[in-house]
Amino acid sequence: MTRSRILLSTLVFAGLAGAPAVAEEVNVYTTREPGLFAPLAAAFTAETGIKVNTVFVKDGLAERVAAEGAASPADLLMTVDVGNLVDLVDKGVTRPLKSKAVEAAVPANLRAADGSWTALSLRARLVWADKAAAPAAITYEDLADPKWKGKICIRSGQHPYNTALIAAMIAHDGEAKAKAWLAGVKANLAKKPGGGDRDVARDILGGLCEIGVGNSYYVGLMRSGAGGPEQKTWGDGVAVVLPTFVGGGTHVNATGAAIAKNAPNEAAARRLIEYLVSPAGQKVYAEQNFEYPITAGAAVTETIAALGPLKVDGVPLAEIARHRKAASLLVDEVGFDR
Amino acid sequence: MTPPLAPPALAFADVRHDYRGKTALDGISLAVRPGEIVALLGPSGCGKTTLLRIAAGLERPRAGRVSVADRVVAEGDVFVPPEKRGVGLMFQDYALFPHLDVAANVAFGLGRRPGPLAGAIVADLIGRVGLADRARAYPHMLSGGEQQRVALARAMAPRPSVLLMDEPFSNLDQRLRRGMRAELAALLKLTGAAAVLVTHDPDDAMAVADRIALMRTGRLVQVGTPEEIFRAPVDLFAARFFTDLEEIPATVTAGRAETPLGAFAARGVRDGPALVCIRRDAFDLDPDVAECAARVVATRFLGEHRSVRLAVDGLDRSIEAIVDARREIATGDRVGLSLDRSEVFVFPA
Amino acid sequence: MRRLLGSAIAAFDGFALAGLAVAAVALAPIVALALIAAHGGGEVWRHLFTSVVPAATLETGLLALGVGGFVVAVGTASAWLVAAHDFPGRRLLEVALLLPLAFPVYVLAYSWLDLLHPIGPLQTALRSLLGYARPADFRLPDPRSLPGAVLIFGLALYPYVYVAVRTVFLAQMTTLTEAARMLGANGASVFFRVALPLARPAIAAGAALAIMETLNDVGAAEFLSINTLTAAVYSTWVNRGDLPGAAQIALAMLAFVLSLLVVEKWARGDRSYAVIGRASRPLAPRRIDGLAGLGLFALGALPALLGFVVPAAHLVRQASTRLAFAGMPQEILVEIGNTLVAAALATVVAVGLGLVLVGGRRLHPGSRLHRGALRVATLGYAVPGTVLAIGLLVVFGGLDGVIREAVVALGGRPTGLLFSASLTALVVAYVVRFFRLSASKIETGLERLSPSLDQSARTLGRTPFGVLREIHLPLLRPALAGAALLLFVDCMKELPATLLLRPLGFETLATHLYGEAARGTYENGALAALLIVAFGLLPIVVLTRLGRPAPSREATAEGAPA
């Protein structure tokens, strides 16, 4: 019985793989939450008439695309973190994009020099705090200071957002100092790392900790009421501070995209990327997703603007990406999640 | 011989009980003397097991009083639970603890931390029931008879003043049964405990009991020694219970019943239709003085007896007689019959 | 050796072939894991086994120990409470104590986390009651800890012990309890000297099931910030894309499970605890009325309240709030459909294969081939879902690669991912994981049918397959229905394997819930959680029907005791 099903599946999929594209469309493989990309896709289709097929791949994007090989229908690969994007490039499943529009719109430190990938939007890793105990300003290094002992909430150290932050710390101060800093933060934790960024706000309100770390767009999502009345109370109940590195700026991670190596609809994919970095696309990022646009001069939405001006840290994203693996190992060595 | 003024080891006074809306016991009063063995005998559903369980404390009577020695254990609001009554119960399916060996089973009733004498008591009892070499065996390794003996030893170990037994022989085959009956009676007399055993088999009751309490539908029909009940059954049911009978319809007039087999005295029986009940070994074939004549229709050799089917003038069906096996009787023989009057009873129909 | 081979060849038939195929599929993931783990670079291995595995093993061990202790204590005590005592509300309690079975552990964790949060409903109400204004002034301990996890896992899993022990108590305890009481043992003495020793095999079996469920879970451990081996396997793959690393930890997990099974066998002991003689009458429990009776009811109701009533009520409230705010999410219908389809396919395959394998063994009694194949095929239940999924990922990835090479060599276009991330992969995972359920139920049902039925059918001219079809199948219908129901619901609730193997864009109710909890948007998942619990209630209905065993029926048939 199992055998005939295998046979059937083979035939069906072999047939599907050979079907040619009929109308203009572009296939996007993304690790972003479908809900966050949908507005962008809708806006693109409205403007160009090109259909966008989104496939949400939670894990193993690189392996999946590599395994699909030449028959892969993926045109555009989108990730929530540049580190993941660089992984894709390293695994050889992307192809470079030469686009004047992209080169003009995106600052040099937010895209690959050879055009193999580009960032699309930014989110800052911020410090959220109990309104009574909120500092006026804080550095990331400060988080390891013993004065915060037993007061910090954060999500799992192995989560990409955090490993990116740790990687940035490595880029700033070197691996040894970063390890010491991480150990210091661990000593300050109020509870074991876990949950998501939104849980941090909830826990602060619940008196479990006084400060925590979370991404900027969550603040927008919560405070705007898009997540429901309960989340609005969380968002409104915490104070938000834009932290900086000592002698640097605020750590950001970027969503980004790259063209897939065997993209069947390369032209459509190029148009999509160019739309996303255009003022129209960046506006959607800012207003619907509460993210920071990457193009100079583009406006942020009110809720985010109210947090204060963003000074992006100088370390290039590509360099941060290089240290990601070391950061992940550090998390294990320090026993951060235990 | 126990002094007559000692309180009974176990006494029921007007005990009543029902079960799922039906009356199970309808006013039972019975006293068991210390050291006496009483059998509760009756057909299935007569209430004997219910009475036993009430004595044990596993059921609470709806009305009446139960006392053990001079202590009331059940009456109205008073109720002493089974673990405090000092009464032993041997279950029909033995209920041996499968996770304990024979010695541990027997020792169970001697308490969580048995004293120094416990070992000796257990060994003594196990020896008495003939299982000394099986002391370390587990219940599932024992035969039915062996399990029964363990159950007995276990019930006796705490030296209860009353030992209750629920159908002690029903799970044994015929041969084992006969041996066990004698053993049990001897053991009980040795310990001096009073005992009440429940059985549906009259032979069991007669082999073991000092007195038999015959029950039917929740009532006591007759209480007496085996000989008393056997010789003078109080009604048709009592008579039928112990042996098979040849029952001949007849009419009683002025204290006498006329049948083709002869006329029989019917003292105390009112005039009218009656049944003349004759025990099958009441027949004497070819006696010196014959009362009537019969023709042998069939005979069968049964080992210790011979069964003879007789046709008698005036009776519309043949009757069966049980005679000594050594009598040479053949089908077709004409024989004379006389009856032992002590084995004939007349009851109203 | 030759004799073994000879007998194997003699017994080889269609059934044997099927058996071998299923056994091979069940073994493949484990073999694949071993192979891939061996491939992994030494650097990774060293890092994992110094930094990750020891702590995760310790945490897993402590969790297993704690949960084991909890379920044994609560499950046995509850079973004794309802079996040996009669108090007002006892009948209701007997069934209510089963209800937590409807909650998969991750749903219970999800519900209680939401409920117990310092600004959640429970603590807010508590604070207003006690007059505290801010959470910082008064706060209950955080359930996101090992003790909290032990409690939540324990509440979800104690019914495994409860059911097993209650069955023993109801079937065996009647005359044994009475015998013990007649010998002077009071309530506590009866429990410790008779009931508990007798229940030991059942307790061991129930506890083993509970601990295996604990090891299998990936959602609850993550929500509760517990670093179990399973969470480590999952995180190594998802966050780092490191398949060899994940495979190595997975193998460590398997070793853990194997040692658990050895301990269970030891704890079960080898005493024969079969009932001697027949159970003559239903248990006449000790009647306890009045205040003491109500106290007993309240005590016994505690696990049911905490394990079902309170979290279920919370879910209902959250779901209705969400529905009022955002309306019915469109995806939920698709998710329900996906869940049902995957579960239904797996159920049909598993039950069908179960029939073939168990039937095949029946037709060839004494054939080591058939028996061995069946044994191996049922190994899947011992393998935690995450481990199995990783193994299958490797197997299917390899299979896809082989097919791709072959097709390319034959001149065709390269095929993509055929089996990895397909419905086939998911169904295979479910079948391998839950096959034992189907096989054991069918086996029990078949045992009740005397072999003389088979033999007479054969003498009347039926082939072996005909016997299966015309004799076994109709008579096995209740067993098959029971197996199908339990299997179906287990597939619906499954999370770890589903997360890793599902086709792109394929969400089940379970994965939806997990996603929302992982994002911290608890309320959005409440509807999915509620649906899972509702479906989870179905097998409980079946269980309660089977709960009260034969003795009560015999008593009614024979009338009043004589």
Side-chain angles (χ1 to χ4, degrees), chain C residues 248-501:
Chain C
Q248 280 160 0
I249 309 181
L251 279 177
M253 268 227 82
L254 263 179
F256 197 93
V257 172
L258 270 163
S259 49
L260 171 76
L261 288 174
V262 168
V263 170
E264 186 225 347
K265 191 136 195 173
W266 169 83
R268 225 176 327 140
D270 48 11
R271 304 249 174 78
S272 164
Y273 283 2
V275 182
I276 316 288
R278 54 181 178 86
S280 46
R281 71 191 80 242
L283 186 64
R286 255 228 218 101
R287 177 82 199 176
I288 303 185
D289 276 310
L291 215 62
L294 282 172
L296 277 183
F297 178 79
L299 192 68
L302 214 58
L305 273 174
L306 295 177
F308 183 84
V309 180
V310 172
H314 177 72
L315 281 181
V316 170
R317 201 181 83 149
Q318 290 290 76
S320 37
T321 316
R322 187 71 196 162
L323 282 175
F325 176 74
M328 176 79 91
Q330 303 127 310
E331 320 92 58
I332 204 99
L333 290 172
V334 175
E335 284 163 14
I336 297 176
N338 288 344
T339 317
L340 290 177
V341 166
L345 277 172
T347 305
V348 169
V349 172
V351 172
L353 284 176
L355 255 178
V356 169
L357 262 72
V358 175
R361 167 138 174 250
R362 164 92 159 196
L363 293 169
H364 295 271
S367 156
R368 289 220 204 108
L369 185 63
H370 289 80
R371 188 168 35 152
L374 186 59
R375 237 342 131 78
V376 173
T378 57
L379 278 179
Y381 90 106
V383 180
T386 323
V387 174
L388 185 65
I390 298 276
L392 281 175
L393 268 178
V394 174
V395 170
F396 284 129
L399 199 61
D400 282 341
V402 165
I403 295 181
R404 193 166 51 236
E405 317 271 303
V407 171
V408 168
L410 290 175
R413 291 192 59 190
T415 53
L417 292 173
L418 293 177
F419 297 113
S420 320
S422 62
L423 200 54
T424 313
L426 201 55
V427 170
V428 169
Y430 287 166
V431 172
V432 170
R433 178 119 175 79
F434 297 122
F435 184 70
R436 190 186 206 230
L437 209 60
S438 147
S440 74
K441 279 247 165 320
I442 297 179
E443 238 174 344
T444 319
L446 211 52
E447 260 162 38
R448 295 211 186 103
L449 305 181
S450 157
S452 42
L453 283 176
D454 301 27
Q455 289 154 9
S456 51
R458 297 291 294 278
T459 59
L460 290 166
R462 288 287 178 283
T463 63
F465 189 70
V467 173
L468 187 67
R469 196 171 31 140
E470 292 183 55
I471 308 290
H472 293 159
L473 200 55
L475 289 172
L476 279 176
R477 249 189 274 259
L480 289 176
L485 181 64
L486 288 172
L487 228 139
F488 187 80
V489 176
D490 269 350
C491 290
M492 286 191 59
K493 299 193 292 187
E494 210 282 334
L495 181 64
T498 317
L499 279 175
L500 291 171
L501 287 172

Side-chain angles (χ1 to χ4, degrees), chain B residues 53 58 89-95 148 151 154 164-168 171, chain C residues 174-180 182 280:
Chain B
R53 288 173 65 80
L58 297 171
L89 176 54
M90 192 176 126
F91 290 80
Q92 183 174 12
D93 60 359
Y94 314 135
Q148 196 227 31
R154 184 179 73 175
L164 307 170
M165 290 170 281
D166 189 0
E167 306 265 10
N171 289 347
Chain C
T174 41
T175 37
L176 291 178
T177 319
E178 293 181 343
M182 292 312 305
S280 46

Side-chain angles (χ1 to χ4, degrees), chain B residues 19-20 44-45 47-50 53 56 58 82-83 87 89 91 93 95-99 108-109 111-112 138 147 154, chain C residues 175-176 178-185 189 192-194 197-198 271-273 276 278 281 286 555-556 560-562:
Chain B
Y19 193 80
R20 293 177 199 241
S44 174
K48 56 194 193 296
T49 305
T50 309
R53 288 173 65 80
L58 297 171
E83 54 268 20
V87 163
L89 176 54
F91 290 80
D93 60 359
L96 297 181
F97 303 125
H99 61 292
F108 191 91
R112 285 194 96 147
Y138 281 86
Q147 287 178 15
R154 184 179 73 175
Chain C
T175 37
L176 291 178
E178 293 181 343
R181 290 180 74 191
M182 292 312 305
L183 291 163
S189 222
F192 284 107
R193 297 173 73 192
V194 179
L198 269 176
R271 304 249 174 78
S272 164
Y273 283 2
I276 316 288
R278 54 181 178 86
R281 71 191 80 242
R286 255 228 218 101
T556 355

Side-chain angles (χ1 to χ4, degrees), chain A:
Chain A
M1 201 176 167
T2 347
R3 266 187 261 133
S4 55
R5 179 164 304 135
I6 292 178
L7 204 56
L8 193 63
S9 306
T10 316
L11 293 174
V12 170
F13 277 90
L16 282 180
V22 182
E24 269 248 73
E25 58 178 11
V26 60
N27 301 318
V28 178
Y29 280 21
T30 174
T31 60
R32 290 209 75 178
E33 295 298 333
L36 292 172
F37 182 62
L40 293 151
F44 177 70
T45 309
E47 178 153 319
T48 63
I50 301 177
K51 186 164 176 290
V52 180
N53 303 319
T54 316
V55 178
F56 173 52
V57 181
K58 186 168 193 308
D59 41 72
L61 176 59
E63 285 76 13
R64 202 150 282 179
V65 178
E68 285 178 347
S72 170
D75 293 315
L76 199 66
L77 307 174
M78 288 186 68
T79 66
V80 295
D81 186 85
V82 168
N84 296 344
L85 215 49
V86 171
D87 279 341
L88 290 174
V89 176
D90 290 341
K91 283 209 162 77
V93 296
T94 61
R95 95 167 47 170
L97 170 72
K98 290 277 180 257
S99 162
K100 292 247 176 12
V102 171
E103 284 166 23
V106 182
N109 65 331
L110 294 177
R111 60 180 159 83
D114 61 356
S116 50
W117 57 268
T118 173
L120 293 172
S121 64
L122 294 179
R123 52 279 284 287
R125 201 115 179 93
L126 307 177
V127 166
W128 305 351
D130 188 319
K131 284 197 164 142
I138 188 171
T139 65
Y140 293 111
E141 286 85 348
D142 221 8
L143 291 171
D145 191 308
K147 74 168 179 264
W148 294 113
K149 192 168 175 74
K151 300 196 175 151
I152 300 186
C153 281
I154 193 172
R155 74 191 306 171
S156 163
Q158 288 292 1
H159 192 274
Y161 294 159
N162 283 341
T163 46
L165 178 60
I166 300 168
M169 187 63 77
I170 296 180
H172 271 267
D173 295 331
E175 208 171 304
K177 284 230 180 98
K179 186 168 179 180
W181 169 79
L182 197 60
V185 176
K186 176 180 185 220
N188 286 349
L189 293 176
K191 56 177 260 295
K192 273 209 264 192
D197 283 354
R198 267 177 274 219
D199 284 297
V200 172
R202 201 188 196 207
D203 288 342
I204 292 176
L205 276 178
L208 286 161
C209 44
E210 279 183 24
I211 64 171
V213 177
N215 272 3
S216 55
Y217 63 87
Y218 283 123
V219 179
L221 281 172
M222 287 192 289
R223 285 185 176 175
S224 68
E230 195 184 27
Q231 287 188 30
K232 189 153 175 13
T233 40
W234 303 350
D236 290 336
V238 293
V240 180
V241 183
L242 266 69
T244 57
F245 280 103
V246 167
T250 308
H251 170 76
V252 294
N253 53 53
T255 67
I259 308 269
K261 181 158 152 204
N262 301 304
N265 304 300
E266 197 187 338
R270 166 194 278 258
R271 279 190 77 178
L272 180 53
I273 288 196
E274 289 173 354
Y275 173 77
L276 292 173
V277 302
S278 73
Q282 291 287 297
K283 186 154 177 250
V284 178
Y285 272 116
E287 288 180 3
Q288 306 261 30
N289 293 353
F290 304 97
E291 297 181 89
Y292 291 99
I294 50 166
T295 51
V300 286
T301 169
E302 241 185 81
T303 325
I304 299 297
L307 299 177
L310 175 70
K311 180 176 163 229
V312 178
D313 188 56
V315 177
L317 291 182
E319 197 185 325
I320 296 181
R322 266 212 307 275
H323 294 293
R324 287 280 301 288
K325 214 172 178 107
S328 175
L329 292 177
L330 273 189
V331 171
D332 284 339
E333 283 167 31
V334 164
F336 191 78
D337 284 339
R338 288 201 285 262

